[in-house]
Amino acid sequence: MRSLIISLVLAAVILTGGIFYTSMIEDISDDFSQINSELMYYVDKEDYQSALGKAEEMKKYLDEKSTLLAAMGNHEEIDEIEGTLEELTSYIKDEKKADAGSKCSSLGFLFKHLPRNFKLKAENIL
Amino acid sequence: MLVLVIRTLILYSTVVLSLRIMGKRQIGEMQPSELVVAIMISDLAAIPMQAIDLPLLAGIVPVLTLVITEVIMSYISLKSATIRRFITGEPSVVIYNGHINEKELKKLRFNMNDLLEELRANNFYDIADVAFAVLETNGKLSIVPKDTSRPVTVEDLNIKNPKHSSLPFTLIMDGEINQAEMTRCGRNNAWLENELKKRGIDSIKDVLLASMSGDNTLYIQKKGEEDKGV
């Protein structure tokens, strides 16, 4: 009976944790997308100082959330985001609008992709 | 390097804990579903142990899910005979009244060599000695010998007052008194020390093992007292 109770408690923890984690990843993805949209806007307007500020804000936010993201997400995916963000920062510093814009698009895709693996969809189960 | 060590320790603890939750049956004779769980757990734990790119939880969550499923299924099996039959199957009578059940053997894909091998493993070298043989759900063969081949019992010998057998009491182990066993056998430390003195042993710490059988026979072996013949 003790094993059954432990199992039921574990099941409840896993299910609740799963739902909570998925919702949290969606929020993080939305926040990243929001910062990225603002960054894209500044790059488009060639306001590189503000764009650099947004890139720094994104890095800070990524640092804050990296443990949460790494808890269940593939570590390679997080490394890819960090790498792309570094490239973006360097393009902004060099005031390369086209390259910076392209990296923003890449980041936009990666941020949207973050919660996809956790959604309860047939493509993830199969 | 340290990351790998810590991940391994966490996964090791998870697997040990999982097996403890699943209970003693898991480490003894395994049912088909338990064997599947054991194989899957070992694989699931091994992958994130070495691949640091994978999150640790990607190994722990599936392991715990398997454990939860196994425990819940075992509980349902306790309550429902139908589920039990589905999960663990049913024992098969392969020898009935001294006759081999060919139909059952074919159904089990169990050939004659397998049957004879299992009989030999159970110390039955002649199939003529076997009355019944049942292939259990854990793959073991249970054998009931014919009356002419079974071991002699106390009843057969008509012994009026057979020696009563009971679990022996382990009173001292590695120089430490087992107080629970002392209470169980109804003796105290003073009695034990007195018994040791009678045998020329001054300290409990010098005793490797002291046990008392059901008929109050005391067995004592001192530390460093090895068999002279070895």
Side-chain angles (χ1 to χ4, degrees):
Chain A
M1 199 61 180
R2 197 177 59 179
S3 300
L4 185 70
I5 293 165
I6 294 171
S7 300
L8 291 174
V9 170
L10 281 175
V13 169
I14 290 174
L15 285 176
T16 321
I19 293 166
F20 180 69
Y21 189 80
T22 307
S23 126
M24 207 164 52
I25 290 291
E26 275 174 0
D27 289 346
I28 292 172
S29 166
D30 288 346
D31 290 344
F32 271 129
S33 299
Q34 176 65 33
I35 302 169
N36 194 44
S37 303
E38 289 168 22
L39 202 154
M40 267 176 113
Y41 172 80
Y42 290 129
V43 168
D44 199 41
K45 294 279 173 201
E46 295 185 26
D47 180 356
Y48 295 109
Q49 202 56 44
S50 304
L52 200 60
K54 281 288 157 194
E56 289 303 323
E57 189 187 330
M58 205 185 275
K59 269 187 198 171
K60 204 176 157 194
Y61 191 63
L62 187 62
D63 279 346
E64 276 173 26
K65 305 292 177 188
S66 61
T67 312
L68 272 175
L69 293 171
M72 276 305 278
N74 196 324
H75 295 185
E76 274 180 18
E77 205 171 4
I78 301 153
D79 291 344
E80 201 179 338
I81 292 174
E82 282 174 338
T84 312
L85 191 52
E86 278 304 319
E87 283 179 280
L88 171 66
T89 312
S90 109
Y91 288 138
I92 293 171
K93 279 178 185 167
D94 294 343
E95 300 187 357
K96 288 181 178 170
K97 186 181 172 182
D99 291 332
S102 148
K103 287 295 158 191
C104 280
S105 300
S106 300
L107 278 174
F109 169 78
L110 289 170
F111 293 146
K112 273 188 188 157
H113 191 262
L114 271 178
R116 276 188 199 164
N117 290 340
F118 300 100
K119 282 191 177 162
L120 204 60
K121 289 198 295 188
E123 63 185 70
N124 284 337
I125 294 167
L126 296 173
Chain B
M1 184 77 98
L2 272 176
V3 172
L4 278 173
V5 172
I6 294 166
R7 285 170 75 99
T8 306
L9 290 175
I10 294 170
L11 285 162
Y12 168 78
S13 312
T14 308
V15 174
V16 170
L17 189 77
S18 302
L19 291 174
R20 288 283 293 119
I21 293 172
M22 282 198 283
K24 288 195 175 72
R25 277 180 55 191
Q26 188 64 33
I27 33 182
E29 304 300 335
M30 282 195 259
Q31 296 293 339
S33 65
E34 292 165 346
L35 179 70
V36 169
V37 170
I39 292 169
M40 287 174 87
I41 282 181
S42 63
D43 206 39
L44 279 167
I47 295 168
M49 203 182 276
Q50 49 193 324
I52 55 168
D53 274 352
L54 286 173
L56 201 58
L57 283 174
I60 294 173
V61 172
V63 167
L64 291 179
T65 307
L66 282 174
V67 172
I68 292 163
T69 313
E70 177 58 29
V71 172
I72 292 173
M73 290 309 279
S74 306
Y75 187 73
I76 296 171
S77 298
L78 273 178
K79 301 282 172 193
S80 159
T82 315
I83 300 282
R84 189 160 54 238
R85 255 199 313 275
F86 175 73
I87 296 172
T88 61
E90 279 184 313
S92 307
V93 180
V94 288
I95 298 177
Y96 187 78
N97 256 344
H99 291 281
I100 298 167
N101 188 343
E102 273 187 79
K103 204 175 148 189
E104 199 61 32
L105 283 180
K106 271 185 191 160
K107 208 169 97 182
L108 295 165
R109 295 189 305 279
F110 210 72
N111 61 41
M112 285 308 296
N113 286 340
D114 293 334
L115 180 64
L116 294 174
E117 194 180 310
E118 281 296 326
L119 290 174
R120 284 195 298 273
N122 283 285
N123 294 324
F124 284 89
Y125 299 96
D126 188 353
I127 200 160
D129 295 336
V130 180
F132 300 95
V134 180
L135 190 65
E136 305 293 354
T137 52
N138 58 16
K140 296 269 175 194
L141 195 69
S142 300
I143 300 161
V144 179
K146 284 183 178 167
D147 287 344
T148 49
S149 310
R150 67 177 169 81
V152 180
T153 63
V154 172
E155 200 180 349
D156 293 333
L157 295 171
N158 260 333
I159 298 171
K160 297 286 178 219
N161 295 307
K163 193 179 158 189
H164 179 69
S165 59
S166 70
L167 208 61
F169 308 101
T170 311
L171 307 177
I172 303 173
M173 198 186 278
D174 283 324
E176 298 270 341
I177 296 183
N178 186 336
Q179 291 299 349
E181 290 282 270
M182 290 293 288
T183 313
R184 202 163 66 86
C185 74
R187 309 286 169 137
N188 56 30
N189 291 10
W191 168 83
L192 186 59
E193 279 166 22
N194 190 37
E195 287 297 322
L196 293 179
K197 279 205 179 91
K198 277 187 203 167
R199 289 163 174 79
I201 302 166
D202 299 325
S203 170
I204 285 162
K205 294 220 177 300
D206 296 337
V207 180
L208 180 71
L209 184 80
S211 73
M212 192 172 77
S213 57
D215 60 357
N216 293 340
T217 310
L218 202 59
Y219 169 87
I220 299 171
Q221 184 173 332
K222 276 174 77 178
K223 283 180 184 171
E225 191 180 83
E226 287 169 19
D227 187 351
K228 303 285 187 292
V230 177

